[in-house]
Amino acid sequence: MRAYEIIHAKRDGRPLPADAIAALVDGFTRGEVPDYQMAAFCMAVFFRGMDDGEVRALTEAMLRSGDVLDLSDIPGAKVDKHSTGGVGDKVSLALAPLAAACGVKVPMISGRGLGHTGGTLDKLEAIPGFRVDLPVERFRALVREVGACLIGQTARLAPADRKLYALRDVTATVESIPLIAASIMSKKLAEGIDALVLDVKVGSGAFMKRPEDARALARTLAAIGRGMGKRVTALLTAMDQPLGRAVGNALEVAEVLELLRGGGPADLRAVTVELTAEMLLAGGVAAELAAARAAVERAIADGSGLAKLEEIVAAQGGDVAAIRDPSRLPRAADPYPVPAPAAGFVQAVDTEAVGLAAVALGAGRARVEDPVDPAVGILVERKLGDRVERGEPLCLVHHGPRSEPRERIVARLAGAYRIGPAAPAAAPLFLERMA
């Protein structure tokens, strides 16, 4: 089947044979299928979906587009974690060193910002000098010697997903369970992991707005992983407001450093500890969750998690001085407030709108080739249930030379908040565990 025929068949809702999907992915990877045809295919999948066999075929084709690492010669269980994306979700930056400090090997291949959500690679590159483009041989060496390595997709690891990931970001085809699942699992299975912990976000700042959609995605991801012989655990976590206070790359790195020094926002710490504990359990380092949580808390309290982050940063070319002194991270001058339009309690936050405001500041991309400004972002001053007086700041905006005008950003962010006379009922941070 030619690319046109494959697009036509999916547009009309007809199932695709595995060899057609493999041919399309192979042609796209080698540059024979142009971006505009792959974008059309993604839009067809967005509206028509894929059955389980098609999703497996797509994942397998993307996985086999490059090398699949064999880390079996490295002692210890190799475990990774993946988040489906949220606003202010900087968990990986703390989780990887904490898990490594507790004895789990963490080979982590991450992505850049996607739509309104931030990307781990963009956050890491806010650390001056940090390299996410290491060759596979160096990646293997650091997993063995340091216990963790965080990189992007190389030319040899899931190259089809690297190209498709960037294309989905700018063609409004992100929120598709088949495309999300194939993207995540092709990267993760290429790492040579033994187990995977999934953080499936649910709410206004997530790609999955409804719990039933998040469960469907978690089941799809787990089925792919287990079909390849991997242990998979999924947590459904709330994303009805930004996680922590910081939204924006350098701001989020600074907040991670607060956490690893024993502080930081309570919600960020809770999610980080729980997901890291699941990694210890999956990796056989702890026999049950209570012991795993206690081990992670010790790694925060005794500073071993922070020390491991410094070791990772040094090994990947980053400026360790910026970890010890966060004022050396990129900083925006003269942040301005977003005043509350009325007095009352924060009843709801359109978290996706907050993420899009960060993109408008320059913290994310509107086009594949757009640069990211590591210094810009948003510090959230009021969260769900907080009392605010009229004129008090809802957020502080760190802006840069490429940011949208102040009045437009203020309008975006003020419009993202709903303020009313009564505080909302407290909502759980953890919705479900699927093991």
Side-chain angles (χ1 to χ4, degrees):
M1 298 174 73
R2 295 178 297 119
Y4 171 86
E5 295 173 284
I6 294 170
I7 296 164
H8 192 283
K10 180 48 61 180
R11 185 202 69 183
D12 290 348
R14 299 198 302 273
L16 295 172
D19 59 350
I21 293 172
L24 182 71
V25 171
D26 182 59
F28 177 62
T29 306
R30 291 189 285 112
E32 295 173 1
V33 174
D35 283 359
Y36 59 81
Q37 283 192 307
M38 202 63 180
F41 173 76
C42 289
M43 191 62 75
V45 171
F46 183 93
F47 284 111
R48 290 295 192 171
M50 282 183 150
D51 63 30
D52 290 346
E54 288 175 304
V55 175
R56 283 195 299 271
L58 180 60
T59 305
E60 182 81 11
M62 291 165 63
L63 172 66
R64 301 300 173 189
S65 68
D67 293 347
V68 178
L69 294 181
D70 180 2
L71 303 182
S72 59
D73 61 319
I74 299 176
K78 276 68 68 176
V79 187
D80 194 7
K81 162 262 177 191
H82 182 84
S83 167
T84 57
V87 178
D89 180 5
K90 69 282 293 178
V91 168
S92 290
L93 278 68
L95 170 145
L98 285 169
C102 292
V104 175
K105 300 293 187 184
V106 186
M108 187 174 283
I109 298 177
S110 298
R112 300 197 177 275
L114 194 62
H116 66 278
T117 68
T120 298
L121 298 184
D122 297 323
K123 302 180 208 301
L124 290 169
E125 288 182 336
I127 303 169
F130 195 99
R131 288 191 57 195
V132 299
D133 60 344
L134 301 180
V136 169
E137 293 73 16
R138 183 63 174 157
F139 177 73
R140 287 175 54 86
L142 292 185
V143 172
R144 179 190 294 276
E145 298 161 12
V146 177
C149 187
L150 297 87
I151 63 169
Q153 290 141 290
T154 70
R156 291 167 52 186
L157 293 176
D161 178 63
R162 183 180 55 176
K163 290 186 67 177
L164 192 58
Y165 191 93
L167 193 63
R168 289 167 54 221
D169 185 23
V170 294
T171 57
T173 55
V174 172
E175 301 95 330
S176 162
I177 287 177
L179 296 179
I180 292 172
S183 173
I184 292 170
M185 297 308 294
S186 64
K187 281 195 297 282
K188 297 306 176 184
L189 294 171
E191 296 171 342
I193 56 173
D194 301 305
L196 177 64
V197 175
L198 296 166
D199 179 11
V200 182
K201 299 293 187 188
V202 187
S204 68
F207 294 122
M208 303 292 108
K209 311 295 185 190
R210 305 181 305 165
E212 54 266 37
D213 294 331
R215 289 189 196 99
L217 175 58
R219 284 193 292 267
T220 301
L221 292 167
I224 295 169
R226 290 168 187 156
M228 302 286 277
K230 312 300 180 185
R231 298 189 297 277
V232 182
T233 301
L235 297 184
L236 273 59
T237 66
M239 183 43 67
D240 279 318
Q241 61 180 334
L243 185 60
R245 292 182 60 236
V247 181
N249 299 300
L251 293 173
E252 295 189 41
V253 173
E255 191 164 81
V256 165
L257 297 177
E258 285 183 49
L259 187 160
L260 292 175
R261 290 189 172 95
D267 59 344
L268 175 62
R269 180 166 177 148
V271 173
T272 301
V273 169
E274 196 68 16
L275 289 167
T276 311
E278 291 283 2
M279 291 180 69
L280 269 57
L281 193 65
V285 172
E288 46 91 21
L289 273 173
R293 293 186 193 106
V296 178
E297 292 285 5
R298 282 195 301 274
I300 295 173
D302 66 16
S304 58
L306 180 61
K308 182 59 70 174
L309 177 61
E310 292 183 2
E311 190 179 354
I312 292 167
V313 169
Q316 295 194 226
D319 181 6
V320 177
I323 302 303
R324 296 170 182 164
D325 178 9
S327 68
R328 297 173 66 102
L329 294 168
R331 306 182 78 181
D334 302 319
Y336 58 79
V338 176
F345 293 89
V346 177
Q347 295 182 327
V349 181
D350 182 346
T351 312
E352 182 172 346
V354 175
L356 290 172
V359 173
L361 288 167
R365 297 172 183 81
R367 299 174 301 173
V368 173
E369 65 271 18
D370 285 349
V372 165
D373 185 341
V376 303
I378 300 158
L379 284 179
V380 177
E381 297 293 319
R382 296 291 191 277
K383 299 190 72 170
L384 290 176
D386 287 349
R387 172 77 189 181
V388 63
E389 299 299 326
R390 187 175 186 274
E392 288 185 338
L394 296 170
C395 309
L396 287 177
V397 177
H398 292 243
H399 57 103
R402 297 195 305 275
S403 299
E404 282 190 2
R406 176 171 177 167
E407 60 272 14
R408 291 172 64 180
I409 296 294
V410 168
R412 281 178 180 269
L413 290 170
Y417 279 78
R418 188 176 79 225
I419 298 172
L429 190 55
F430 301 97
L431 283 69
E432 193 171 333
R433 180 178 187 264
M434 302 172 67

Coordinates of all heavy atoms in Angstrom, one line a residue, residues 165-233:
Y165 N 7.0 12.6 17.2 CA 6.7 13.3 18.4 C 6.7 14.8 18.1 O 5.7 15.6 18.5 CB 7.8 13.0 19.4 CG 7.6 13.5 20.9 CD1 7.0 12.6 21.8 CD2 8.0 14.8 21.3 CE1 6.9 13.0 23.1 CE2 7.8 15.2 22.6 CZ 7.3 14.3 23.5 OH 7.1 14.7 24.8
A166 N 7.7 15.3 17.4 CA 7.7 16.7 17.0 C 6.6 17.1 16.1 O 6.0 18.2 16.2 CB 9.1 17.0 16.4
L167 N 6.2 16.2 15.2 CA 5.1 16.5 14.3 C 3.8 16.6 15.0 O 3.0 17.5 14.7 CB 5.1 15.4 13.2 CG 4.2 15.7 11.9 CD1 4.8 16.9 11.2 CD2 4.2 14.5 11.0
R168 N 3.5 15.7 15.9 CA 2.3 15.7 16.7 C 2.1 17.0 17.5 O 1.0 17.5 17.6 CB 2.2 14.5 17.6 CG 2.0 13.2 16.8 CD 2.2 12.0 17.8 NE 1.4 12.1 19.0 CZ 1.9 11.8 20.2 NH1 3.1 11.4 20.4 NH2 1.1 11.9 21.2
D169 N 3.2 17.5 18.0 CA 3.2 18.6 18.9 C 2.6 19.9 18.2 O 2.0 20.7 18.8 CB 4.7 18.9 19.3 CG 4.7 20.1 20.3 OD1 3.7 20.4 21.0 OD2 5.8 20.7 20.4
V170 N 2.8 20.0 16.9 CA 2.4 21.2 16.2 C 1.3 21.0 15.2 O 0.9 21.8 14.4 CB 3.7 21.8 15.4 CG1 4.7 22.3 16.4 CG2 4.3 20.8 14.4
T171 N 0.7 19.8 15.2 CA -0.4 19.5 14.3 C -1.7 19.1 15.1 O -2.6 18.6 14.5 CB -0.1 18.4 13.3 OG1 0.3 17.2 14.1 CG2 1.0 18.8 12.4
A172 N -1.8 19.4 16.4 CA -3.0 19.2 17.2 C -3.4 17.8 17.2 O -4.6 17.5 17.2 CB -4.1 20.1 16.8
T173 N -2.5 16.8 17.2 CA -2.8 15.4 17.2 C -2.2 14.7 18.4 O -1.9 13.5 18.4 CB -2.3 14.7 15.9 OG1 -0.9 14.9 15.7 CG2 -3.1 15.2 14.7
V174 N -2.0 15.4 19.5 CA -1.4 14.9 20.7 C -2.3 13.9 21.4 O -1.9 12.8 21.8 CB -0.9 16.0 21.6 CG1 -0.4 15.4 22.9 CG2 0.3 16.8 20.9
E175 N -3.6 14.4 21.6 CA -4.5 13.7 22.5 C -5.1 12.5 21.9 O -6.4 12.4 21.8 CB -5.5 14.6 23.0 CG -5.0 15.8 23.8 CD -4.8 17.0 22.9 OE1 -4.6 16.9 21.7 OE2 -4.9 18.2 23.4
S176 N -4.4 11.5 21.4 CA -4.9 10.3 20.8 C -4.3 9.1 21.5 O -3.0 9.0 21.5 CB -4.5 10.3 19.3 OG -4.6 9.0 18.7
I177 N -5.1 8.3 22.1 CA -4.6 7.1 22.8 C -3.6 6.2 22.0 O -2.5 5.9 22.5 CB -5.7 6.3 23.5 CG1 -6.3 7.1 24.6 CG2 -5.2 5.0 24.0 CD1 -7.5 6.5 25.3
P178 N -4.0 5.9 20.8 CA -3.0 5.0 20.0 C -1.7 5.7 19.8 O -0.6 5.1 19.9 CB -3.8 4.8 18.7 CG -5.2 4.9 19.0 CD -5.3 6.0 20.1
L179 N -1.7 7.0 19.4 CA -0.4 7.7 19.2 C 0.4 7.9 20.4 O 1.6 7.8 20.5 CB -0.7 9.0 18.5 CG -1.4 8.9 17.1 CD1 -1.6 10.3 16.5 CD2 -0.5 8.1 16.1
I180 N -0.3 8.3 21.5 CA 0.4 8.4 22.8 C 1.0 7.1 23.2 O 2.2 7.0 23.6 CB -0.6 8.9 23.9 CG1 -1.1 10.3 23.6 CG2 0.0 8.8 25.3 CD1 -2.2 10.8 24.6
A181 N 0.2 6.0 23.2 CA 0.7 4.7 23.6 C 1.9 4.2 22.8 O 2.9 3.8 23.4 CB -0.4 3.7 23.6
A182 N 1.8 4.4 21.5 CA 2.9 3.9 20.6 C 4.2 4.8 20.9 O 5.3 4.2 20.9 CB 2.5 4.0 19.2
S183 N 4.0 6.1 21.1 CA 5.1 6.9 21.3 C 5.8 6.6 22.6 O 7.0 6.4 22.7 CB 4.6 8.4 21.4 OG 5.7 9.3 21.8
I184 N 5.0 6.5 23.7 CA 5.6 6.2 25.0 C 6.3 4.8 25.0 O 7.5 4.7 25.4 CB 4.5 6.2 26.1 CG1 4.0 7.6 26.3 CG2 5.1 5.6 27.4 CD1 2.8 7.6 27.2
M185 N 5.6 3.8 24.5 CA 6.2 2.5 24.7 C 7.3 2.2 23.7 O 8.2 1.4 24.0 CB 5.1 1.4 24.5 CG 4.0 1.5 25.6 SD 4.6 1.5 27.3 CE 5.3 -0.1 27.4
S186 N 7.3 2.8 22.5 CA 8.5 2.6 21.6 C 9.7 3.1 22.3 O 10.8 2.5 22.1 CB 8.2 3.2 20.3 OG 8.1 4.6 20.3
K187 N 9.6 4.3 22.9 CA 10.8 4.8 23.6 C 11.2 4.0 24.8 O 12.4 3.6 24.9 CB 10.5 6.3 24.1 CG 10.6 7.4 23.1 CD 10.6 8.7 23.8 CE 9.4 9.1 24.6 NZ 8.3 9.5 23.8
K188 N 10.3 3.6 25.6 CA 10.6 2.9 26.8 C 11.1 1.5 26.6 O 12.0 1.0 27.2 CB 9.4 2.9 27.8 CG 8.9 4.3 28.2 CD 10.1 5.1 28.8 CE 9.7 6.5 29.2 NZ 10.8 7.3 29.7
L189 N 10.5 0.8 25.6 CA 11.0 -0.5 25.3 C 12.4 -0.5 24.6 O 13.1 -1.5 24.7 CB 10.0 -1.2 24.4 CG 8.6 -1.5 25.1 CD1 7.6 -2.0 24.1 CD2 8.8 -2.5 26.2
A190 N 12.7 0.6 24.0 CA 14.1 0.7 23.4 C 15.2 0.8 24.4 O 16.3 0.6 24.1 CB 14.1 1.8 22.4
E191 N 14.8 1.2 25.6 CA 15.8 1.5 26.7 C 16.4 0.2 27.3 O 17.4 0.3 28.0 CB 15.1 2.3 27.8 CG 14.6 3.6 27.5 CD 13.8 4.2 28.6 OE1 13.4 3.5 29.5 OE2 13.6 5.4 28.6
G192 N 15.8 -0.9 27.1 CA 16.3 -2.1 27.7 C 15.9 -2.3 29.2 O 16.6 -2.9 30.0
I193 N 14.7 -1.7 29.5 CA 14.2 -1.8 30.9 C 13.6 -3.1 31.2 O 13.2 -3.9 30.4 CB 13.2 -0.7 31.2 CG1 12.0 -0.8 30.2 CG2 13.8 0.7 31.1 CD1 10.8 0.2 30.5
D194 N 13.5 -3.4 32.5 CA 12.8 -4.6 33.1 C 11.4 -4.2 33.5 O 10.6 -5.1 33.5 CB 13.6 -5.2 34.2 CG 15.0 -5.5 33.9 OD1 15.2 -6.3 32.9 OD2 16.0 -5.0 34.5
A195 N 11.2 -3.0 34.0 CA 9.9 -2.6 34.5 C 9.7 -1.1 34.2 O 10.6 -0.4 34.0 CB 9.9 -2.9 36.0
L196 N 8.4 -0.8 34.2 CA 8.0 0.6 33.9 C 6.9 1.1 34.9 O 6.0 0.3 35.1 CB 7.5 0.7 32.5 CG 7.0 2.1 32.0 CD1 8.2 3.1 32.0 CD2 6.4 2.0 30.6
V197 N 7.1 2.3 35.4 CA 6.0 2.9 36.3 C 5.4 4.0 35.5 O 6.2 4.9 35.0 CB 6.6 3.4 37.6 CG1 5.5 4.1 38.4 CG2 7.1 2.2 38.4
L198 N 4.1 4.0 35.3 CA 3.4 5.0 34.5 C 2.7 6.0 35.5 O 2.0 5.6 36.4 CB 2.4 4.4 33.6 CG 3.0 3.5 32.5 CD1 1.9 2.6 31.9 CD2 3.7 4.3 31.5
D199 N 2.8 7.3 35.2 CA 2.0 8.3 35.9 C 1.1 8.9 34.8 O 1.4 9.7 34.0 CB 3.0 9.4 36.4 CG 2.2 10.5 37.1 OD1 1.0 10.4 37.3 OD2 2.8 11.6 37.4
V200 N -0.2 8.4 34.9 CA -1.2 8.8 33.9 C -2.0 10.0 34.5 O -2.7 9.8 35.5 CB -2.1 7.6 33.5 CG1 -3.1 8.1 32.5 CG2 -1.3 6.5 33.0
K201 N -1.8 11.1 33.9 CA -2.4 12.3 34.5 C -3.9 12.5 34.0 O -4.2 12.1 32.9 CB -1.7 13.6 34.0 CG -0.2 13.6 34.4 CD -0.1 13.8 35.9 CE 1.3 14.0 36.3 NZ 1.5 14.0 37.8
V202 N -4.7 13.0 34.9 CA -6.2 13.2 34.7 C -6.6 14.6 35.1 O -6.3 15.0 36.2 CB -7.0 12.1 35.5 CG1 -8.4 12.2 35.1 CG2 -6.4 10.7 35.3
G203 N -7.3 15.3 34.2 CA -7.8 16.6 34.6 C -7.6 17.6 33.6 O -7.2 17.4 32.5
S204 N -7.8 18.9 34.0 CA -7.9 20.0 33.0 C -6.5 20.3 32.4 O -6.4 20.9 31.4 CB -8.4 21.2 33.7 OG -7.5 21.7 34.7
G205 N -5.4 19.9 33.1 CA -4.1 20.1 32.6 C -3.5 18.9 31.9 O -2.3 18.9 31.5
A206 N -4.2 17.8 31.8 CA -3.8 16.6 31.2 C -4.3 16.4 29.8 O -5.3 17.0 29.4 CB -4.2 15.4 32.1
F207 N -3.7 15.5 29.0 CA -4.3 15.2 27.7 C -5.5 14.3 27.9 O -6.5 14.4 27.1 CB -3.3 14.4 26.9 CG -2.1 15.3 26.5 CD1 -0.8 14.9 26.8 CD2 -2.3 16.4 25.8 CE1 0.3 15.7 26.4 CE2 -1.2 17.2 25.4 CZ 0.1 16.8 25.8
M208 N -5.6 13.6 29.0 CA -6.8 12.8 29.3 C -7.6 13.6 30.4 O -7.2 13.7 31.5 CB -6.4 11.4 29.9 CG -5.5 10.6 29.0 SD -6.4 10.0 27.5 CE -5.6 11.0 26.2
K209 N -8.7 14.2 30.0 CA -9.5 15.0 30.9 C -10.4 14.2 31.8 O -10.7 14.7 32.9 CB -10.3 16.0 30.1 CG -9.6 16.7 29.0 CD -8.6 17.7 29.5 CE -8.0 18.5 28.4 NZ -6.8 19.3 28.8
R210 N -10.7 13.0 31.4 CA -11.7 12.2 32.1 C -11.0 10.9 32.6 O -10.2 10.3 31.9 CB -12.9 11.8 31.2 CG -13.6 13.0 30.5 CD -14.7 12.5 29.7 NE -14.3 11.5 28.7 CZ -15.2 10.7 28.1 NH1 -16.5 10.8 28.3 NH2 -14.7 9.8 27.2
P211 N -11.4 10.5 33.9 CA -10.7 9.2 34.4 C -10.9 8.0 33.5 O -10.0 7.2 33.4 CB -11.5 9.1 35.7 CG -11.9 10.4 36.1 CD -12.2 11.1 34.8
E212 N -12.1 7.9 32.8 CA -12.2 6.7 32.0 C -11.3 6.7 30.8 O -10.8 5.6 30.4 CB -13.7 6.6 31.5 CG -14.2 7.8 30.8 CD -15.0 8.8 31.7 OE1 -14.6 9.0 32.9 OE2 -16.0 9.4 31.2
D213 N -10.9 7.9 30.3 CA -9.9 7.9 29.2 C -8.5 7.6 29.7 O -7.8 6.9 29.0 CB -9.9 9.3 28.6 CG -11.3 9.6 27.8 OD1 -11.9 8.7 27.4 OD2 -11.6 10.8 27.8
A214 N -8.2 8.1 30.9 CA -6.9 7.8 31.5 C -6.8 6.3 31.8 O -5.7 5.7 31.6 CB -6.8 8.6 32.8
R215 N -7.9 5.7 32.3 CA -7.8 4.2 32.5 C -7.6 3.5 31.2 O -6.9 2.5 31.1 CB -9.1 3.7 33.1 CG -9.3 4.2 34.6 CD -10.5 3.5 35.2 NE -10.8 4.2 36.5 CZ -11.8 5.1 36.6 NH1 -12.6 5.4 35.5 NH2 -12.0 5.7 37.7
A216 N -8.3 3.9 30.1 CA -8.1 3.3 28.8 C -6.7 3.4 28.3 O -6.1 2.4 27.8 CB -9.1 3.9 27.8
L217 N -6.1 4.6 28.5 CA -4.7 4.7 28.1 C -3.8 3.9 29.0 O -2.9 3.2 28.4 CB -4.3 6.2 28.3 CG -2.8 6.5 28.0 CD1 -2.4 6.1 26.6 CD2 -2.5 8.0 28.2
A218 N -4.0 3.8 30.3 CA -3.2 3.0 31.1 C -3.3 1.5 30.8 O -2.2 0.8 30.7 CB -3.6 3.2 32.6
R219 N -4.5 1.1 30.5 CA -4.6 -0.3 30.1 C -3.9 -0.6 28.7 O -3.3 -1.7 28.6 CB -6.1 -0.7 29.9 CG -6.8 -0.9 31.3 CD -8.2 -1.5 31.1 NE -9.1 -0.6 30.4 CZ -9.9 0.2 31.0 NH1 -10.0 0.2 32.3 NH2 -10.8 0.9 30.3
T220 N -4.0 0.3 27.8 CA -3.3 0.1 26.5 C -1.8 0.1 26.7 O -1.1 -0.8 26.1 CB -3.7 1.3 25.6 OG1 -5.1 1.3 25.4 CG2 -3.0 1.1 24.2
L221 N -1.3 1.0 27.5 CA 0.2 1.0 27.8 C 0.6 -0.3 28.4 O 1.6 -0.9 28.1 CB 0.5 2.2 28.6 CG 0.4 3.6 28.0 CD1 0.4 4.7 29.0 CD2 1.4 3.8 26.9
A222 N -0.1 -0.7 29.5 CA 0.3 -1.9 30.2 C 0.2 -3.1 29.4 O 1.1 -4.0 29.5 CB -0.6 -2.0 31.4
A223 N -0.8 -3.2 28.5 CA -0.9 -4.4 27.6 C 0.3 -4.5 26.7 O 0.8 -5.6 26.5 CB -2.2 -4.3 26.8
I224 N 0.7 -3.3 26.1 CA 1.9 -3.3 25.2 C 3.1 -3.8 26.0 O 3.9 -4.7 25.6 CB 2.1 -2.0 24.6 CG1 1.0 -1.6 23.7 CG2 3.4 -1.9 23.9 CD1 1.0 -0.1 23.3
G225 N 3.3 -3.2 27.2 CA 4.5 -3.5 28.0 C 4.5 -5.0 28.4 O 5.5 -5.7 28.3
R226 N 3.4 -5.5 28.9 CA 3.4 -6.9 29.4 C 3.5 -7.8 28.3 O 4.0 -8.9 28.4 CB 2.1 -7.1 30.2 CG 2.1 -6.3 31.5 CD 0.7 -6.3 32.2 NE 0.8 -5.4 33.4 CZ -0.3 -4.8 33.9 NH1 -1.5 -5.0 33.4 NH2 -0.1 -4.1 35.0
G227 N 3.0 -7.4 27.1 CA 3.1 -8.3 25.9 C 4.6 -8.4 25.5 O 4.9 -9.4 24.8
M228 N 5.4 -7.5 25.9 CA 6.9 -7.5 25.7 C 7.6 -8.0 26.9 O 8.9 -7.9 26.9 CB 7.4 -6.1 25.3 CG 6.7 -5.5 24.1 SD 7.2 -6.3 22.5 CE 8.7 -5.4 22.2
G229 N 6.9 -8.6 27.9 CA 7.6 -9.2 29.0 C 8.1 -8.2 30.1 O 8.9 -8.6 30.9
K230 N 7.5 -7.1 30.2 CA 7.9 -6.1 31.1 C 6.9 -6.0 32.3 O 5.7 -6.1 32.0 CB 8.1 -4.7 30.5 CG 8.9 -4.7 29.2 CD 10.3 -5.2 29.4 CE 11.1 -5.2 28.1 NZ 12.4 -5.8 28.3
R231 N 7.3 -5.7 33.5 CA 6.4 -5.4 34.6 C 6.0 -3.9 34.5 O 6.8 -3.0 34.3 CB 7.1 -5.6 35.9 CG 7.6 -7.0 36.2 CD 8.1 -7.3 37.6 NE 9.3 -6.5 37.9 CZ 10.5 -6.8 37.6 NH1 10.7 -7.9 36.9 NH2 11.5 -6.0 37.9
V232 N 4.7 -3.7 34.6 CA 4.1 -2.3 34.4 C 3.2 -2.0 35.5 O 2.3 -2.9 35.8 CB 3.4 -2.2 33.1 CG1 2.9 -0.8 32.9 CG2 4.3 -2.6 31.9
T233 N 3.3 -0.9 36.2 CA 2.4 -0.4 37.2 C 2.0 1.0 36.7 O 2.8 1.8 36.3 CB 3.0 -0.3 38.6 OG1 3.5 -1.6 38.9 CG2 2.1 0.2 39.6

